[in-house]
Amino acid sequence: MTLTMAAQGFHAGRAIASAGRWPRPSFQPPCPASPLVIAETVDRVMPEEFSQDAAKRLRAAGPRLEGLVRVTTVDALATHIRTAGLKPLQDAHLCIVIELIIDNRSLSLARREADIAVRLGRFDAHGMVGRKFGEMAFAVYTSPVYLEAHGWPDSGSGAPGQTTVRVQDDLLDTPDGRWFADCTTQAEPALLASSRENQLQGMMAGHGFGQLPCYLPARPSNLLRLDTGKASTREIWMGVHPHTRHVPRITAVQDVLVAAIALNKAVLLPEFDTVAPSPSPVSQPQKECIMTAKPTIGILIGSLQANGLSRKLAAAIQTLGADQFHVSVIEIGALPLYNPEREGQGVAEWNDFRAAVAPMDGILFVTPEYNRSVPGALKNAIDVGSRPYGASVWAGKPAGVVSQSPGAIGGFGANHHLRQSLVFLDMPAMQQPEAYLGHAASLFDDAGTLVEGSGKTFLEGFVTTFTAWVALHPAKTV
């Protein structure tokens, strides 16, 4: 849908978007709010069911929220956090007003020029509270018209005789911006753009080649990707002032922004087949970004039974998550019992196990309950991975826990006993949804295949949520 441009000043409405900084309003907006005012066309909306579910959760969360929340972000991200992501919040709290300030320069949270800032990179300001909650992929593109006229850029020599389309100089101080500048020292800038959209249009018109977020050329365009031999991503960070971080309306907006970025992950961080690096930094064009976005999840199965319910569950989760992550089942049955006295003896099984866990992006524990706790084999594996002291392979890896039992309790005791260890091991464990699968045998047919029904639906949701959890908590891989 096309929405009107906001004029200078403050318009009464449920959300306001501007291309720059706006003065703080001197009055409270009317309630219920009048129609939305925003600066650009919205090309992408969240699924209807997401908006309805999110609105229900927000309405049930507590008292009605009201007041102004000023959100600043860069133009490269604005499309993915604007009205689509904010709609569930405003459906639940009609009196909350969101001013979306699209500005590639940093507004000051300390001076209260904004309440929430969403940026591509960490926050340097002292005392600000920031967290990473996503990533965005970048690659180098140009048009066939430009290639026909100028030939392939040789960025190994600084791309002499070429022209570039890039952002303005004051926006170049980023890792990918500096890398691109180093590859184009002999090229002449043909167009300096103040926004990524303007840069895209300049490249489509054949003015030169440049670096763009991968989602922009994914839209209908004539651009081709140049194989640089380098995968480039930028971290997405959210910052708030420590004095306002717990204000309910600001907390609610933060939660919705996190959900919006998670929902757009496939667009912001698309999965493409990896291509072989070229001899020079820029060579033949491809349509794919040079990266593989799928995380690799290590699954530890608490039961040693070859055909046990936990192993069937692990196989089912692997199937359900095939489009979202790679899986490595890390076996624990052959691990000798941990004994600190053997630590310097080079126990091969311990070393192999630690080496298998270390590169994982996340860990999923699938376990039965033994005597209201975890099986001994699983506890031994946890101990082995946590040593030697100071070299734990678990530290910082996001985790999920699925427990099961033939009876009704669903391994509740094992689930929570395991979580106690995860806290000490510095493994951020996903809190919701909790996975206690009672009467687990009923989830499978005689062939051991997961049957249709509420159990499968729950596991599908668990897999999707866990994938997002892993993305929000980047592991300390070794």
Side-chain angles (χ1 to χ4, degrees):
M1 68 184 162
T2 302
L3 304 167
T4 58
M5 172 75 82
Q8 185 176 7
F10 183 83
H11 287 248
R14 292 168 60 187
I16 299 173
S18 63
R21 293 166 52 186
W22 284 36
R24 185 179 294 276
S26 58
F27 61 93
Q28 289 295 321
C31 182
S34 53
L36 172 72
V37 181
I38 195 167
E40 301 177 34
T41 300
V42 177
D43 300 315
R44 181 178 177 81
V45 296
M46 287 193 171
E48 175 111 11
E49 62 271 17
F50 175 87
S51 295
Q52 292 174 349
D53 291 345
K56 289 178 182 177
R57 290 195 298 270
L58 286 163
R59 279 194 293 267
R64 185 175 67 178
L65 304 176
E66 58 183 34
L68 175 68
V69 179
R70 295 160 60 87
V71 180
T72 178
T73 189
V74 294
D75 70 301
L77 283 169
T79 298
H80 303 287
I81 67 171
R82 59 173 74 161
T83 52
L86 303 175
K87 186 177 185 299
L89 175 64
Q90 294 178 318
D91 285 346
H93 303 283
L94 294 178
C95 293
I96 195 167
V97 178
I98 299 164
E99 182 177 357
L100 183 58
I101 308 168
I102 303 171
D103 196 326
N104 287 327
R105 295 163 182 83
S106 296
L107 273 67
S108 173
L109 295 175
R111 294 195 298 269
R112 308 300 169 87
E113 293 176 331
D115 300 303
I116 301 172
V118 180
R119 296 289 170 189
L120 292 172
R122 294 175 179 268
F123 290 84
D124 297 327
H126 176 70
M128 295 299 103
V129 179
R131 61 166 166 161
K132 175 187 171 183
F133 70 117
E135 292 183 77
M136 176 183 284
F138 284 75
V140 178
Y141 296 88
T142 193
S143 69
V145 172
Y146 178 83
L147 283 179
E148 184 176 353
H150 295 82
W152 304 110
D154 179 12
S155 60
S157 302
Q162 302 286 338
T163 57
T164 61
V165 178
R166 60 174 176 80
V167 292
Q168 296 171 338
D169 290 344
D170 56 347
L171 302 177
L172 278 178
D173 191 22
T174 62
D176 55 294
R178 290 190 292 271
W179 171 84
F180 184 73
D182 289 342
C183 291
T184 56
T185 54
Q186 302 302 312
E188 295 294 332
L191 177 65
L192 301 180
S194 61
S195 71
R196 293 294 184 182
E197 186 66 35
N198 290 340
Q199 186 186 11
L200 172 69
Q201 296 301 323
M203 291 164 63
M204 290 174 61
H207 290 295
F209 69 101
Q211 192 176 42
L212 285 171
C214 290
Y215 79 84
L216 279 173
R219 293 159 32 182
S221 74
N222 64 342
L223 296 185
L224 300 172
R225 188 190 66 83
L226 302 181
D227 174 13
T228 64
K230 172 184 173 66
S232 178
T233 59
R234 296 275 301 279
E235 295 181 343
I236 304 173
W237 281 73
M238 181 188 301
V240 294
H241 194 280
H243 292 168
T244 60
R245 62 183 300 196
H246 296 304
V247 174
R249 69 179 186 276
I250 293 177
T251 300
V253 173
Q254 289 183 78
D255 291 342
V256 174
L257 293 178
V258 169
I261 294 299
L263 190 69
N264 282 281
K265 179 184 176 184
V267 177
L268 297 171
L269 196 63
E271 179 194 347
F272 297 99
D273 294 333
T274 302
V275 297
S278 58
S280 61
V282 179
S283 64
Q284 297 183 359
Q286 303 286 338
K287 275 292 187 180
E288 300 85 9
C289 285
I290 41 178
M291 61 176 297
T292 300
K294 277 187 183 180
T296 300
I297 305 301
I299 295 184
L300 272 69
I301 303 170
S303 170
L304 301 184
Q305 297 181 71
N307 296 306
L309 292 173
S310 293
R311 191 165 293 274
K312 290 179 181 178
L313 270 174
I317 290 170
Q318 182 172 359
T319 300
L320 294 174
D323 294 335
Q324 301 181 56
F325 49 68
H326 302 292
V327 165
S328 175
V329 176
I330 303 174
E331 298 293 346
I332 63 175
L335 285 176
L337 290 176
Y338 182 71
N339 180 350
E341 294 177 343
R342 299 189 62 191
E343 195 60 74
Q345 299 175 10
V347 181
E349 295 88 348
W350 293 356
N351 294 336
D352 291 345
F353 175 77
R354 292 162 179 164
V357 172
M360 296 297 105
D361 297 303
I363 300 293
L364 184 62
F365 298 91
V366 183
T367 184
E369 177 179 302
Y370 289 179
N371 302 314
R372 293 293 185 264
S373 185
V374 296
L378 181 54
K379 181 58 169 65
N380 182 56
I382 291 172
D383 293 342
V384 169
S386 69
R387 297 295 174 175
Y389 181 79
S392 171
V393 293
W394 307 117
K397 293 190 186 299
V401 180
V402 177
S403 59
Q404 60 79 20
S405 69
I409 296 179
F412 178 90
N415 196 305
H416 281 264
H417 206 177
L418 175 56
R419 287 174 181 273
Q420 287 183 320
S421 295
L422 301 186
V423 171
F424 176 78
L425 294 170
D426 189 25
M427 300 182 73
M430 186 173 75
Q431 296 93 355
Q432 296 291 337
E434 297 176 291
Y436 317 112
L437 302 179
H439 304 293
S442 65
L443 299 175
F444 303 95
D445 60 20
D446 293 340
T449 303
L450 191 66
V451 299
E452 298 292 333
S454 59
K456 182 178 180 180
T457 300
F458 171 82
L459 285 174
E460 289 172 339
F462 180 92
V463 163
T464 299
T465 305
F466 182 62
T467 304
W469 181 259
V470 171
L472 291 174
H473 298 80
K476 301 172 185 176
T477 55
V478 178

